[in-house]
Amino acid sequence: MWSCAGRRRRRLLAGLFLLLLAAVVMRRFNLTSIIPMRFWGRVLGLQAKDSQFLLEEKPFRILGGSVHYFRVPREYWRDRLLKMKACGLNTLTTYVPWNLHEAVRGTFDFSGNLDLQAFLRTAEEVGLWVILRPGPYICSEWDLGGLPSWLLQDPEMQLRTTYKGFTEAVDSYFDHLMPEVVHLQYKNGGPIIAMQVENEYGSYAQDQNYMAYIKQALLNRKVVELLVTSDNKDGLSAGFVHGALATINFQKLEPKLLSSLSEIQKDMPVMVMEYWTGWFDSWGGPHNIFDADEMVERVEAVIRSGASINLYMFHGGTNFGFMNGALHFDEYKSTITSYDYDAVLTESGDYTAKYFKLRNLFSRILETPLPPLPVVLHKASYGAILMQQYISLWELLPSLIEPVKSEYPINMENLPVNNGNGQAFGYTLYETLILGGGTLYFHDYIRDRAQVFVNTQYIGHLDYNIQELSIPNRQGYRQLQILVENCGRVNYGLNLNNQRKGLIGDVFFNKTSLRNFKIYSLEMKPSFMESLRGASPWSAIPDSAVGPAFFRGSLQVQYMPQDTFLKLEGWEKGVVFVNGQNLGRYWNIGPQETLYLPGTWLQQGFNEIIVFEEHLGGRIIHSTDLAFLGRVQYVV
């Protein structure tokens, strides 16, 4: 017979087994969001106390790095996070882009490359904690700072304030986003140890009630982990909200910069939420580089001071499609497609000098062996790709697109397309009739760049700096065509409410407002590209391959597809699609000279390449195993 002590041991073991089984089942079927549960030993979570972080009452140092799932093909998430872990980091930070998850108002997408739960689970499996930065605004050199363009359909919209039209949209978004993540919080057995309240609001600060509203919106939706804010030094006091830990963002470690946090919060740990490991690039500018030794010296100084740190970016990735943002202070500057950022890992996930120097630093500080380095994915040079077919934009219209007829120009966001959600990205073509010749004037109503044609013949281009064009005189009525490109909405600053694109006001011809437009939405979504494949007549590329036009060719891959880079030498400006995937924009003004093509988007055998060229096309695209990001300028 069993003794009493033996029976007690058996009951204890059986109880522990049942608890463990319940935990596994609840996590497997996401039941933790339905049945609140405190996992064994997970009660207090991450705390900011007595000038240090504590995780379950034990001192904890955040060594973090930023990777954005929406800038990296899903098949490469694990590779990038394993490399983060092998560098010595213990925490992942990521933004959440509202404009991708709710591209159409009221329709939410958390699938495929937007499967946020899968990304966070991958981080957990790799052994990383997570600081989640859900916005709603994220900046991140991303179109409109991650806010969906349909918000701008409201002429009175006041973004990032407690304006009712904005808060109602945010509440609906959070109602759908938070159930995706709250069960992945630390106290519910997941990897999320902290969550950020908005992002860099101190640099905006238009509404003193806004940050308290966002904080409460998170708390109301079962967020139980540590709340934080993040700002640069000038925005610290305006971006701070009681009940959240203030953190700081910078690249240059100025005297007393870290101690400035103590001016708004006493006896709290110091956290650098964004230590900028490099910098982003704008079209027409240089490729920005930040010296590796200088960067590592500053990281070491932060750590030696006792602070925690997050490297922004650890791996930048790519602004695929039309998702790049822009800056507009003294002049408008559109961000390039690559988000390489001169970060710790390259755009394609390769190691850099910064990586090895940081790994050496962290191994010395941690005084423990680091995981082995994951292998680097090979890059392929597939050589010259011959473009074989051509179709002019003028030949496609209106057979492929039903135009909107309007007496007045309509901005992109307010076009009655996409089930009332307007047009978010791409190009918009405005057509009307003119009589005779004269001066075409736009009064700063072009957003952001336009090509002007008369009877499909190119006249010139307009942008923020060029506001008028001369139209040659001819007899009779002629068709005026204005092809306007949304080059990227501003992602930072006080200009967010003024980011409607296309023609945002009247066009004047000889001081008379033009009327009676046909407007074509050219968002170039997957459905459009699918229709384009079957369009006719595709023909052989003419000797003078003038755009706007689509060019088609094929890349043949014999063996297992590998990453490569496409170099469009001889082309001028446009967008590249491979097997329906939008790789992003190219432009011969640089600095970027190649587009990153992930091997996971290729297939063995035939791969279709379609190029939309705005002005002057070529016949050949070169596939190379090296990225060329342009002329270098060192960031001081």
Side-chain angles (χ1 to χ4, degrees):
M1 294 194 51
W2 292 94
S3 67
C4 291
R7 285 195 295 272
R8 283 196 296 269
R9 282 196 298 271
R10 289 182 66 194
R11 285 197 294 268
L12 179 60
L13 289 172
L16 289 173
F17 173 77
L18 289 173
L19 281 173
L20 180 60
L21 180 62
V24 171
V25 169
M26 292 177 75
R27 292 182 68 179
R28 171 64 179 84
F29 295 100
N30 291 336
L31 297 179
T32 52
S33 60
I34 301 172
I35 307 172
M37 178 177 180
R38 289 289 182 265
F39 276 68
W40 184 265
R42 290 194 171 201
V43 178
L44 299 176
L46 184 68
Q47 294 178 291
K49 187 177 180 181
D50 298 330
S51 299
Q52 64 178 333
F53 285 114
L54 300 175
L55 189 60
E56 292 306 321
E57 301 263 273
K58 296 179 180 178
F60 181 73
R61 174 79 64 88
I62 298 170
L63 299 176
S66 291
V67 177
H68 301 151
Y69 59 100
F70 47 93
R71 283 183 160 123
V72 182
R74 177 173 180 157
E75 294 83 354
Y76 294 159
W77 288 349
R78 185 175 298 273
D79 171 79
R80 307 313 193 243
L81 298 182
L82 284 170
K83 288 171 179 171
M84 178 184 287
K85 184 69 174 178
C87 192
L89 303 183
N90 59 24
T91 303
L92 162 73
T93 70
T94 187
Y95 283 129
V96 180
W98 181 6
N99 58 0
L100 291 186
H101 288 294
E102 194 184 1
V104 173
R105 188 166 197 156
T107 301
F108 297 87
D109 186 2
F110 293 95
S111 64
N113 228 89
L114 297 178
D115 191 340
L116 177 55
Q117 287 192 42
F119 182 65
L120 300 180
R121 287 292 191 203
T122 303
E124 180 182 37
E125 291 163 8
V126 166
L128 295 167
W129 300 113
V130 173
I131 296 176
L132 193 65
R133 309 175 77 183
Y137 163 84
I138 64 173
C139 184
S140 190
E141 290 70 63
W142 196 251
D143 186 89
L144 202 59
L147 302 174
S149 62
W150 47 258
L151 289 167
L152 298 174
Q153 292 182 323
D154 178 354
E156 305 299 323
M157 177 55 65
Q158 296 296 313
L159 302 173
R160 303 181 75 192
T161 71
T162 52
Y163 172 71
K164 184 179 179 182
F166 185 67
T167 58
E168 286 179 345
V170 171
D171 286 338
S172 174
Y173 171 54
F174 277 180
D175 283 345
H176 289 82
L177 172 62
M178 289 305 145
E180 296 286 325
V181 297
V182 291
H183 66 282
L184 295 175
Q185 294 179 100
Y186 174 89
K187 292 170 186 172
N188 292 330
I192 300 173
I193 57 174
M195 206 172 293
Q196 185 171 295
V197 181
E198 235 265 355
N199 185 65
E200 295 180 314
Y201 193 69
S203 300
Y204 191 81
Q206 297 290 292
D207 185 337
Q208 63 180 356
N209 299 315
Y210 177 68
M211 288 295 283
Y213 153 70
I214 294 293
K215 185 193 78 170
Q216 194 59 46
L218 297 175
L219 295 176
N220 289 347
R221 291 166 177 84
K222 301 180 181 179
V223 172
V224 295
E225 304 299 341
L226 179 71
L227 296 177
V228 300
T229 61
S230 69
D231 288 279
N232 60 34
K233 65 174 182 177
D234 297 324
L236 271 177
S237 58
F240 173 74
V241 61
H242 290 285
L245 176 74
T247 68
I248 194 166
N249 306 334
F250 64 85
Q251 185 171 75
K252 186 176 181 180
L253 184 55
E254 301 171 0
K256 298 184 179 180
L257 182 61
L258 296 179
S259 61
S260 62
L261 282 167
S262 63
E263 296 176 8
I264 61 172
Q265 54 188 15
K266 301 293 185 182
D267 300 322
M268 287 292 190
V270 173
M271 169 75 184
V272 181
M273 182 58 73
E274 293 184 14
Y275 178 75
W276 303 321
T277 61
W279 201 244
F280 60 93
D281 300 336
S282 300
W283 288 114
H287 173 45
N288 292 301
I289 296 291
F290 184 30
D291 182 76
D293 288 325
E294 190 172 356
M295 187 212 76
V296 174
E297 286 174 7
R298 294 179 185 178
V299 170
E300 183 170 12
V302 169
I303 294 174
R304 296 297 181 194
S305 74
S308 288
I309 192 169
N310 176 64
L311 305 174
Y312 187 100
M313 297 290 297
F314 179 80
H315 170 54
T318 309
N319 297 315
F320 292 116
F322 297 116
M323 300 311 302
N324 62 276
L327 292 178
H328 196 172
F329 296 108
D330 295 332
E331 61 177 313
Y332 174 85
K333 294 182 179 180
S334 179
T335 305
I336 67 170
T337 299
S338 171
Y339 202 60
D340 177 89
Y341 203 85
D342 192 37
V344 183
L345 293 179
T346 68
E347 179 180 13
S348 57
D350 291 345
Y351 299 116
T352 66
K354 290 178 180 176
Y355 183 95
F356 294 112
K357 292 175 184 291
L358 283 170
R359 178 177 157 90
N360 180 58
L361 170 65
F362 292 141
S363 65
R364 287 188 285 109
I365 290 173
L366 297 172
E367 297 180 344
T368 182
L370 297 178
L373 292 174
V375 297
V376 174
L377 298 175
H378 290 291
K379 310 298 182 291
S381 178
Y382 293 111
I385 303 166
L386 180 64
M387 305 302 287
Q388 298 168 316
Q389 294 180 303
Y390 165 96
I391 187 168
S392 167
L393 177 63
W394 314 122
E395 294 178 89
L396 288 172
L397 302 175
S399 62
L400 213 58
I401 303 172
E402 182 70 27
V404 172
K405 295 180 181 180
S406 172
E407 182 178 359
Y408 303 93
I410 303 175
N411 63 282
M412 185 180 283
E413 295 78 8
N414 286 100
L415 284 173
V417 297
N418 294 328
N419 295 320
N421 285 273
Q423 181 181 342
F425 306 108
Y427 300 79
T428 307
L429 176 66
Y430 299 82
E431 288 187 346
T432 189
L433 294 177
I434 58 172
L435 179 64
T439 301
L440 194 65
Y441 179 61
F442 284 82
H443 193 63
D444 195 31
Y445 290 152
I446 291 284
R447 294 291 186 274
D448 299 294
R449 189 176 187 273
Q451 293 183 90
V452 178
F453 306 83
V454 175
N455 287 350
T456 74
Q457 297 301 305
Y458 179 72
I459 301 298
H461 84 271
L462 298 156
D463 55 24
Y464 291 93
N465 299 314
I466 304 172
Q467 296 294 321
E468 64 180 49
L469 279 177
S470 293
I471 305 295
N473 191 22
R474 295 288 187 275
Q475 293 294 319
Y477 283 95
R478 291 176 293 165
Q479 195 167 58
L480 175 71
Q481 291 130 336
I482 307 164
L483 182 62
V484 185
E485 180 191 9
N486 166 6
C487 296
R489 295 183 182 85
V490 163
N491 56 265
Y492 180 81
L494 301 178
N495 203 21
L496 290 180
N497 291 314
N498 303 313
Q499 292 307 301
R500 295 166 184 87
K501 299 297 183 177
L503 292 183
I504 64 168
D506 278 341
V507 179
F508 299 89
F509 184 56
N510 295 333
K511 299 183 180 180
T512 299
S513 301
L514 293 175
R515 292 290 181 261
N516 299 318
F517 288 88
K518 287 183 179 180
I519 308 173
Y520 296 86
S521 172
L522 293 163
E523 197 161 356
M524 301 188 189
K525 296 163 72 172
S527 58
F528 172 84
M529 300 308 296
E530 185 63 34
S531 299
L532 180 64
R533 290 190 183 97
S536 62
W538 286 90
S539 59
I541 297 176
D543 292 336
S544 179
V546 176
F550 294 90
F551 297 74
R552 183 162 64 182
S554 64
L555 167 62
Q556 297 292 329
V557 177
Q558 283 189 310
Y559 305 108
M560 181 69 70
Q562 296 177 329
D563 287 4
T564 189
F565 303 89
L566 301 184
K567 188 175 178 66
L568 286 94
E569 195 168 7
W571 301 72
E572 189 165 313
K573 186 177 189 302
V575 191
V576 178
F577 300 83
V578 177
N579 294 332
Q581 297 276 6
N582 188 337
L583 299 191
R585 312 172 203 257
Y586 64 90
W587 197 354
N588 64 0
I589 67 171
Q592 180 175 357
E593 298 178 34
T594 55
L595 288 174
Y596 173 50
L597 172 52
T600 187
W601 289 357
L602 293 171
Q603 58 195 10
Q604 208 167 339
F606 172 87
N607 294 271
E608 180 188 59
I609 298 181
I610 292 180
V611 177
F612 176 68
E613 166 61 47
E614 295 181 25
H615 191 59
L616 184 62
R619 291 179 178 272
I620 292 175
I621 297 174
H622 292 278
S623 164
T624 175
D625 57 359
L626 294 173
F628 295 91
L629 295 179
R631 56 193 180 278
V632 168
Q633 172 180 287
Y634 277 88
V635 178
V636 179

